[in-house]
Amino acid sequence: ADAPEATEAPVPPASENLIPQGKVEHIPLDKVSVDDTTFMFRAALRVGPLKKSIQAEGQQLPIVVRKKGKTRGMRYQIISGFRRATAMKELGYTTIAAIVREDLDDDETAFRASVVENEQRKTYSDIDRALVIHAFERAGYTTVEVADLMGLSTRQKNNLHSLLVLPDVVKAAIDDPDVPFTATHGIVLRQMMTKFPSLDAAAWVEQVKAESLSVAQLKRTINKA
């Protein structure tokens, strides 16, 4: 069978841009709820390289937040920018540049804004996109189809959804940008695991990494083995 359709770098329609240009404010970092992960759809944050960049060049992009709570108890909930906020908190910064959105009282609108902003900046891995789809559907949002929101075909959405049933070691390999193991590798490996129930997924991930096997080579080598 042909390899599954790739899912890399989808771009939502321009009409779905829910992150308009806004005034950048410098807000207290201790008022930012970094631990509130309502709108974080990341398998891993990986802030190490970003911390080095911020140390060298400073914060290049503002985070996007909305206010939660009233007066003295008010805090900022992150819509987009968990990596930046986490990195700067670990570096000891006391303030962070942010766009404070006053128009995101509705949770679904905030969810959509978070997804679109990250898709437009192409910061999601395929595992991250699968987590977005799962969270969107679990929340029961119905005003927009999540595949349209993310610029995905129905086939791509279904392929991404299937990644979540893979063993953790396979999902971690797909999510790691430094590993030559793609979502399509994962989908083919899942097909082979159905065909060969005793298949050692972790061993095949390591073989792909060691030999830089293409998807076709992976399928052919498993069938031969």
Side-chain angles (χ1 to χ4, degrees):
D2 293 336
E5 186 177 355
T7 59
E8 296 179 359
V11 179
S15 62
E16 288 291 351
N17 184 3
L18 300 180
I19 301 290
Q21 295 295 320
K23 180 181 177 181
V24 177
E25 305 177 31
H26 290 271
I27 62 176
L29 193 47
D30 63 2
K31 290 287 188 180
V32 178
S33 298
V34 177
D35 294 333
D36 181 346
T37 57
T38 302
F39 300 107
M40 186 179 78
F41 312 105
R42 299 284 184 190
L45 281 178
R46 294 192 179 87
V47 299
L50 182 58
K51 286 169 68 173
K52 293 179 181 179
S53 173
I54 291 172
Q55 283 179 310
E57 306 292 340
Q59 182 186 359
Q60 298 299 303
L61 291 170
I63 65 173
V64 180
V65 299
R66 68 175 181 176
K67 295 178 181 178
K68 296 284 285 186
K70 302 292 183 181
T71 59
R72 189 172 297 180
M74 189 277 295
R75 295 187 64 80
Y76 296 98
Q77 183 182 38
I78 300 175
I79 303 299
S80 177
F82 282 92
R83 290 178 66 244
R84 281 160 279 167
T86 301
M88 293 180 70
K89 184 177 181 179
E90 291 182 2
L91 288 169
Y93 282 75
T94 58
T95 62
I96 188 168
I99 296 175
V100 181
R101 294 288 298 271
E102 304 287 352
D103 57 334
L104 296 179
D105 290 339
D106 175 75
D107 285 349
E108 182 176 354
T109 303
F111 191 120
R112 292 169 58 194
S114 175
V115 172
V116 170
E117 197 269 352
N118 282 285
E119 280 290 3
Q120 290 183 335
R121 293 199 303 108
K122 301 181 180 179
T123 65
Y124 282 147
S125 71
D126 280 330
I127 294 296
D128 296 333
R129 293 187 185 98
L131 293 172
V132 169
I133 293 167
H134 178 69
F136 196 88
E137 293 176 346
R138 185 178 57 191
Y141 296 141
T142 59
T143 62
V144 65
E145 166 58 44
V146 66
D148 294 338
L149 181 65
M150 301 178 74
L152 300 169
S153 68
T154 299
R155 182 183 180 189
Q156 286 174 320
K157 185 188 81 167
N158 292 338
N159 282 340
L160 286 171
H161 219 311
S162 70
L163 298 180
L164 295 181
V165 303
L166 289 167
D168 288 345
V169 66
V170 182
K171 289 188 287 188
I174 295 170
D175 188 58
D176 191 338
D178 297 323
V179 171
F181 193 96
T182 67
T184 310
H185 281 94
I187 292 167
V188 166
L189 189 55
R190 178 175 58 84
Q191 293 170 348
M192 294 293 99
M193 290 169 67
T194 300
K195 185 176 181 180
F196 306 112
S198 62
L199 194 75
D200 185 343
W204 284 104
V205 168
E206 290 304 313
Q207 187 160 341
V208 170
K209 291 162 61 175
E211 301 178 19
S212 297
L213 297 178
S214 69
V215 172
Q217 288 172 328
L218 173 63
K219 188 172 184 179
R220 186 165 56 247
T221 306
I222 290 176
N223 277 315
K224 183 177 179 180

